[in-house]
mmCIF file of all heavy atoms in Angstrom:
data_model
loop_
_atom_site.group_PDB
_atom_site.id
_atom_site.type_symbol
_atom_site.label_atom_id
_atom_site.label_comp_id
_atom_site.label_asym_id
_atom_site.label_seq_id
_atom_site.Cartn_x
_atom_site.Cartn_y
_atom_site.Cartn_z
ATOM 1 N N SER A 218 105.458 34.851 73.170
ATOM 2 C CA SER A 218 104.536 35.637 73.995
ATOM 3 C C SER A 218 104.881 35.618 75.482
ATOM 4 O O SER A 218 104.726 36.629 76.172
ATOM 5 C CB SER A 218 103.106 35.128 73.797
ATOM 6 O OG SER A 218 103.023 33.750 74.135
ATOM 7 N N GLY A 219 105.366 34.496 75.986
ATOM 8 C CA GLY A 219 105.591 34.383 77.427
ATOM 9 C C GLY A 219 106.682 35.288 77.959
ATOM 10 O O GLY A 219 106.630 35.701 79.123
ATOM 11 N N VAL A 220 107.658 35.638 77.124
ATOM 12 C CA VAL A 220 108.773 36.458 77.583
ATOM 13 C C VAL A 220 108.307 37.844 78.027
ATOM 14 O O VAL A 220 108.921 38.480 78.881
ATOM 15 C CB VAL A 220 109.839 36.572 76.470
ATOM 16 C CG1 VAL A 220 109.323 37.378 75.294
ATOM 17 C CG2 VAL A 220 111.127 37.171 77.009
ATOM 18 N N TRP A 221 107.168 38.321 77.468
ATOM 19 C CA TRP A 221 106.672 39.651 77.831
ATOM 20 C C TRP A 221 106.017 39.660 79.211
ATOM 21 O O TRP A 221 105.814 40.733 79.788
ATOM 22 C CB TRP A 221 105.684 40.146 76.776
ATOM 23 C CG TRP A 221 106.330 40.231 75.431
ATOM 24 C CD1 TRP A 221 106.096 39.447 74.357
ATOM 25 C CD2 TRP A 221 107.347 41.150 75.035
ATOM 26 N NE1 TRP A 221 106.899 39.806 73.309
ATOM 27 C CE2 TRP A 221 107.678 40.858 73.704
ATOM 28 C CE3 TRP A 221 108.014 42.195 75.677
ATOM 29 C CZ2 TRP A 221 108.638 41.567 73.002
ATOM 30 C CZ3 TRP A 221 108.969 42.913 74.987
ATOM 31 C CH2 TRP A 221 109.267 42.589 73.661
ATOM 32 N N ASN A 222 105.667 38.484 79.722
ATOM 33 C CA ASN A 222 105.087 38.402 81.062
ATOM 34 C C ASN A 222 106.109 37.968 82.105
ATOM 35 O O ASN A 222 105.758 37.748 83.262
ATOM 36 C CB ASN A 222 103.906 37.412 81.050
ATOM 37 C CG ASN A 222 102.808 37.835 80.093
ATOM 38 O OD1 ASN A 222 102.459 39.008 80.021
ATOM 39 N ND2 ASN A 222 102.267 36.883 79.342
ATOM 40 N N ASP A 223 107.362 37.834 81.688
ATOM 41 C CA ASP A 223 108.429 37.413 82.604
ATOM 42 C C ASP A 223 108.984 38.645 83.325
ATOM 43 O O ASP A 223 109.533 39.552 82.686
ATOM 44 C CB ASP A 223 109.540 36.711 81.803
ATOM 45 C CG ASP A 223 110.523 35.976 82.702
ATOM 46 O OD1 ASP A 223 110.609 36.329 83.902
ATOM 47 O OD2 ASP A 223 111.199 35.053 82.212
ATOM 48 N N PRO A 224 108.848 38.715 84.668
ATOM 49 C CA PRO A 224 109.317 39.903 85.385
ATOM 50 C C PRO A 224 110.833 39.962 85.566
ATOM 51 O O PRO A 224 111.360 40.974 86.015
ATOM 52 C CB PRO A 224 108.608 39.781 86.741
ATOM 53 C CG PRO A 224 108.439 38.306 86.937
ATOM 54 C CD PRO A 224 108.216 37.737 85.564
ATOM 55 N N ARG A 225 111.535 38.881 85.240
ATOM 56 C CA ARG A 225 112.992 38.882 85.431
ATOM 57 C C ARG A 225 113.665 39.846 84.465
ATOM 58 O O ARG A 225 113.230 40.003 83.333
ATOM 59 C CB ARG A 225 113.539 37.459 85.222
ATOM 60 C CG ARG A 225 113.103 36.466 86.285
ATOM 61 C CD ARG A 225 113.582 35.061 85.949
ATOM 62 N NE ARG A 225 112.932 34.561 84.744
ATOM 63 C CZ ARG A 225 113.160 33.362 84.221
ATOM 64 N NH1 ARG A 225 114.022 32.537 84.808
ATOM 65 N NH2 ARG A 225 112.527 32.984 83.138
ATOM 66 N N ARG A 226 114.722 40.499 84.931
ATOM 67 C CA ARG A 226 115.439 41.470 84.102
ATOM 68 C C ARG A 226 116.858 40.978 83.833
ATOM 69 O O ARG A 226 117.824 41.722 83.967
ATOM 70 C CB ARG A 226 115.445 42.837 84.786
ATOM 71 C CG ARG A 226 114.056 43.368 85.023
ATOM 72 C CD ARG A 226 114.039 44.851 85.293
ATOM 73 N NE ARG A 226 112.685 45.383 85.304
ATOM 74 C CZ ARG A 226 112.375 46.672 85.256
ATOM 75 N NH1 ARG A 226 113.341 47.583 85.188
ATOM 76 N NH2 ARG A 226 111.122 47.073 85.278
ATOM 77 N N THR A 227 116.959 39.724 83.472
ATOM 78 C CA THR A 227 118.256 39.113 83.205
ATOM 79 C C THR A 227 118.694 39.398 81.771
ATOM 80 O O THR A 227 117.908 39.852 80.926
ATOM 81 C CB THR A 227 118.189 37.599 83.419
ATOM 82 O OG1 THR A 227 117.226 37.049 82.506
ATOM 83 C CG2 THR A 227 117.743 37.277 84.845
ATOM 84 N N THR A 228 119.961 39.100 81.501
ATOM 85 C CA THR A 228 120.497 39.305 80.153
ATOM 86 C C THR A 228 119.779 38.424 79.138
ATOM 87 O O THR A 228 119.511 38.853 78.005
ATOM 88 C CB THR A 228 122.009 39.003 80.137
ATOM 89 O OG1 THR A 228 122.661 39.820 81.106
ATOM 90 C CG2 THR A 228 122.603 39.271 78.760
ATOM 91 N N GLY A 229 119.454 37.191 79.548
ATOM 92 C CA GLY A 229 118.759 36.284 78.643
ATOM 93 C C GLY A 229 117.386 36.791 78.254
ATOM 94 O O GLY A 229 116.992 36.716 77.083
ATOM 95 N N VAL A 230 116.643 37.326 79.226
ATOM 96 C CA VAL A 230 115.312 37.870 78.946
ATOM 97 C C VAL A 230 115.432 39.087 78.030
ATOM 98 O O VAL A 230 114.669 39.243 77.071
ATOM 99 C CB VAL A 230 114.587 38.233 80.258
ATOM 100 C CG1 VAL A 230 113.288 38.976 79.968
ATOM 101 C CG2 VAL A 230 114.293 36.977 81.074
ATOM 102 N N ARG A 231 116.404 39.964 78.312
ATOM 103 C CA ARG A 231 116.614 41.142 77.457
ATOM 104 C C ARG A 231 116.949 40.724 76.031
ATOM 105 O O ARG A 231 116.422 41.282 75.068
ATOM 106 C CB ARG A 231 117.734 42.008 78.032
ATOM 107 C CG ARG A 231 118.078 43.219 77.161
ATOM 108 C CD ARG A 231 119.285 43.960 77.716
ATOM 109 N NE ARG A 231 118.959 44.719 78.901
ATOM 110 C CZ ARG A 231 118.473 45.965 78.873
ATOM 111 N NH1 ARG A 231 118.264 46.565 77.722
ATOM 112 N NH2 ARG A 231 118.210 46.587 79.997
#
Side-chain angles (χ1 to χ4, degrees):
S218 58
V220 68
W221 300 110
N222 300 318
D223 193 338
R225 293 175 294 180
R226 300 198 171 194
T227 61
T228 303
V230 172
R231 177 186 286 274

